[in-house]
Amino acid sequence: MNTDKKNIWIVGAGVTGLTTGVRLLQEGHSVTIVAKEFSPNTTSDIAAAIWFPFKVNPRAKALEWSRFTYTKLEGLLNTPEAGVSMTSSLRLLSDPSRVPWWTNALPKNRIRKATTNELPKGYEAGYQMEVPLIEVPQYMRYLYNQFVQLGGKMIQKIVVDLDELLVDDRWVINCTGLGARQLVNDPALFAIQGQILHVKSEEPLPTISDNEGGDIAAYIIPRKNYYVLGGTAFNNEYSTQPKEEISKEIWARCEAIVPQLKNAEYINTVVGLRPARKQLRLEKEPHKRIIHNYGHGGAGFSVSWGCAEAVAQLVAKASVSLIAA
Ligand SMILES: Cc1cc2nc3c(=O)[nH]c(=O)nc-3n(C[C@H](O)[C@H](O)[C@H](O)COP(=O)(O)OP(=O)(O)OC[C@H]3O[C@@H](n4cnc5c(N)ncnc54)[C@H](O)[C@@H]3O)c2cc1C
């Protein structure tokens, strides 16, 4: 238990804010989350959500944070209310000679090259991986319950100026995702639009992805009662209106790698905006009790615990430097 107990307000109640809140409560701090929207109305609620460091930078840090999160999520496998399971995921590659950077994020015994007979027609290479899969509504509820059980408080409110929250000795953690663009006037933060489909299938479908196709990838991710078909990754596209022609293209690309999809039943289409940055922003503001934790791109779930840990360390380090000063 931390003897230097702080009063901390977190802005944002997506996966980043909730995970950071739980982690800081575990350190013994007093934590309140202030947010405009709570689950199920955040971007986090739209995520697929499979563990994978997709569209997140800087790579060295993303590796460290996603590795840490992998282990944390694995640790939740025996907690049924968390909604975390492991899935065998086949990731297809267009260039067999290339070893992708993210292969180092997995434990060695959880990743291997796919054999030829595991690959769909037309593909020469891929990786078969064991990765955590998150049932989002259940997991968001689990994080919320953890937060409340540990003594966290919630306030619904739009924050227009972080400095206004710096009352007395309070610390503020900015976990506002794409909202930070306006809140802290950050032009480096941009949306990567993701359109996905939900479908039902009587036949079991594999967890598979081909992300080599540019802005429109093909991936299938199982959820408890349906499958997610993805999806787009359009930089600087801010519309959340689904486009029918894009849905058709996503379905066609997915069916090309998993023909059983032709018998699936369409449920709906969802569009979300990933909060992306060339470099995820996780830092303390100089001379202020403000820490930023936003810009997780397509990997908010996959790096969540690693980033929360980094925030907890920044808070602890700030205390030490204050004592030393
Ligand atoms: C289609 C799609 C698929 C995805 N799939 C995956 C996946 O498989 N795996 C994965 O790891 N990630 C995935 N992601 C990415 C993931 O969803 C995001 O990285 C993650 O949700 C970001 O979480 P966050 O908590 O930072 O932001 P958000 O979930 O957007 O939460 C931001 C919070 O801040 C609040 N807020 C914002 N501005 C203000 C303000 N001014 N005042 C008060 N509150 C404010 C909001 O109301 C909200 O509570 C996917 C995303 C999309 C769109």
Side-chain angles (χ1 to χ4, degrees), residues 234-248:
F234 292 129
N235 285 356
N236 290 304
E237 175 61 60
Y238 289 83
S239 166
T240 52
Q241 275 306 344
K243 291 204 175 100
E244 204 185 326
E245 68 276 17
I246 297 280
S247 291
K248 282 185 183 154

Side-chain angles (χ1 to χ4, degrees), residues 121-136:
K121 233 168 122 192
Y123 288 86
E124 283 180 44
Y127 282 92
Q128 194 75 55
M129 316 180 268
E130 288 296 312
V131 293
L133 177 68
I134 294 165
E135 191 64 25
V136 175

Side-chain angles (χ1 to χ4, degrees), residues 267-279:
I267 305 174
N268 63 357
T269 305
V270 190
V271 179
L273 304 179
R274 303 174 182 93
R277 236 174 155 260
K278 267 199 182 134
Q279 312 273 321

Side-chain angles (χ1 to χ4, degrees), residues 192-254:
I192 304 181
Q193 188 220 53
Q195 176 164 328
I196 53 174
L197 281 67
H198 295 156
V199 304
K200 266 201 163 123
S201 171
E202 294 297 324
E203 289 176 76
L205 305 176
T207 309
I208 189 167
S209 64
D210 174 8
N211 267 68
E212 308 275 307
D215 292 347
I216 306 185
Y219 58 85
I220 302 177
I221 295 169
R223 280 279 189 93
K224 202 152 75 185
N225 300 318
Y226 57 88
Y227 289 87
V228 174
L229 307 188
T232 61
F234 292 129
N235 285 356
N236 290 304
E237 175 61 60
Y238 289 83
S239 166
T240 52
Q241 275 306 344
K243 291 204 175 100
E244 204 185 326
E245 68 276 17
I246 297 280
S247 291
K248 282 185 183 154
E249 175 143 12
I250 292 169
W251 192 307
R253 287 188 188 212
C254 290

Side-chain angles (χ1 to χ4, degrees), residues 12-16 36-37 43-44 47-50 157 159 176 297-302:
V15 68
T16 308
K36 181 167 74 180
E37 301 285 358
T43 298
S44 300
I50 196 162
K157 174 182 154 80
V159 176
T176 51
F301 285 82
S302 313

Side-chain angles (χ1 to χ4, degrees), residues 29-67:
H29 300 298
S30 154
V31 184
T32 300
I33 288 182
V34 194
K36 181 167 74 180
E37 301 285 358
F38 290 85
S39 182
N41 299 319
T42 70
T43 298
S44 300
D45 293 281
I46 293 171
I50 196 162
W51 176 96
F52 191 78
F54 179 59
K55 303 264 179 196
V56 60
N57 284 297
R59 283 185 176 177
K61 282 286 175 194
L63 276 181
E64 179 189 325
W65 291 326
S66 54
R67 221 181 272 141

